[in-house]
Amino acid sequence: MKKARNISALLLAVVLTLALGITAMAAPVAPNGITVKQVYDFNSLPNGDTTDTALGFWNPSGGSANVNVNNGVITFASNNWGAFPNFTEKHMNILKESDGWGFYFKAGNEAAAVTMGFNGANGANHVLATGKPVILCPLSGEPQNVNTEFSEGLNQGIIIVPAGFEGYIYIPFNAYIVNDGSNAAFDVTVNPPATPIYVLGLGAPAGFGEIVAYSEGPQGTADLSVVAYAAAAVTGLGSLLFIRKRK
């Protein structure tokens, strides 16, 4: 019994160490001066090759696009645009209290033209304006400030992401305008994003991941619990150990 307890304790220590290591890589990276809170992720989706419509995404063409799911990252095989599933009231309330939002993005071997727009809670479509500052924050390396550029083909502001980039793109809500010709400013407190709309204009294959909200604050670390990530990892590995024991 004592030997079994010692083995169990050792396994738990190893699992917790691994889980904390995984957490350090899993948590969103953020520039100094902002805090981050997760809004939406795709971790519940099964890994493998599929299509956007099979995942419940909206495709304006009426057809479907080939995608690959890998641990919460949706990689599009070709340039495409569409909408992710609608946010819940809980998601929108998080965004209402935030200064902006961001999303994980992984570019391929070529520079990518990407943007994230949305339909607001009132149904109005919003797009990025031109010449607005956004932040590219790689998983490793220094954050880079860039300005949105106008795309005639997409008729909205886009973000040029360098080849090989992997990290988070942060966009302030004051960079958005109503897409009705009025160029009216966006007020997140009264009309938060309800349906996120992704655009990959150039650079496929490239991947989108979790969506986060951010607020300006004194710390530059993610407002996500390391213990929660670790607990989830421990639970998952513990279940795996239990299943193996029964075989």
Side-chain angles (χ1 to χ4, degrees):
M1 290 293 294
K2 183 176 181 181
K3 182 178 180 181
R5 285 196 298 269
N6 289 339
I7 292 174
S8 297
L10 178 61
L11 284 174
L12 180 60
V14 171
V15 168
L16 184 57
T17 301
L18 290 173
L20 290 172
I22 292 171
T23 300
M25 294 182 288
V29 294
N32 289 329
I34 72 171
T35 56
V36 176
K37 180 176 288 188
Q38 187 184 77
V39 176
Y40 193 93
D41 67 37
F42 305 104
N43 290 328
S44 63
L45 298 177
N47 290 341
D49 294 327
T50 183
T51 65
D52 55 352
T53 53
L55 296 176
F57 302 168
W58 175 72
N59 188 313
S61 71
S64 59
N66 293 327
V67 301
N68 174 270
V69 181
N70 184 26
N71 295 326
V73 178
I74 315 299
T75 298
F76 287 82
S78 58
N79 298 325
N80 208 341
W81 73 281
F84 292 132
N86 295 333
F87 288 148
T88 65
E89 194 73 25
K90 179 181 178 180
H91 298 146
M92 289 188 281
N93 285 337
I94 293 173
L95 293 169
K96 275 184 178 181
E97 300 175 352
S98 305
D99 296 314
W101 65 350
F103 58 95
Y104 169 92
F105 185 76
K106 185 175 182 179
N109 295 328
E110 299 181 5
V114 62
T115 189
M116 185 76 75
F118 56 88
N119 288 339
N122 66 356
N125 180 246
H126 294 72
V127 296
L128 276 176
T130 306
K132 297 295 184 178
V134 300
I135 303 172
L136 304 181
C137 191
L139 296 184
S140 60
E142 294 297 319
Q144 178 184 1
N145 296 312
V146 299
N147 288 335
T148 59
E149 301 178 16
F150 182 72
S151 168
E152 292 186 3
L154 299 173
N155 195 35
Q156 59 187 298
I158 58 171
I159 303 161
I160 303 300
V161 181
F165 173 87
E166 181 181 8
Y168 287 78
I169 301 174
Y170 292 100
I171 309 172
F173 284 135
N174 61 16
Y176 286 95
I177 55 175
V178 182
N179 188 25
D180 61 0
S182 68
N183 293 335
F186 168 62
D187 186 351
V188 69
T189 62
V190 298
N191 184 32
T195 306
I197 300 174
Y198 56 87
V199 179
L200 179 61
L202 291 172
F208 291 84
E210 67 175 335
I211 298 173
V212 299
Y214 78 84
S215 298
E216 295 180 0
Q219 70 183 70
T221 55
D223 186 21
L224 295 170
S225 172
V226 171
V227 176
Y229 273 103
V234 169
T235 301
L237 289 173
S239 300
L240 181 61
L241 290 172
F242 177 73
I243 291 170
R244 287 179 174 171
K245 184 178 179 181
R246 293 185 61 182
K247 286 185 176 182

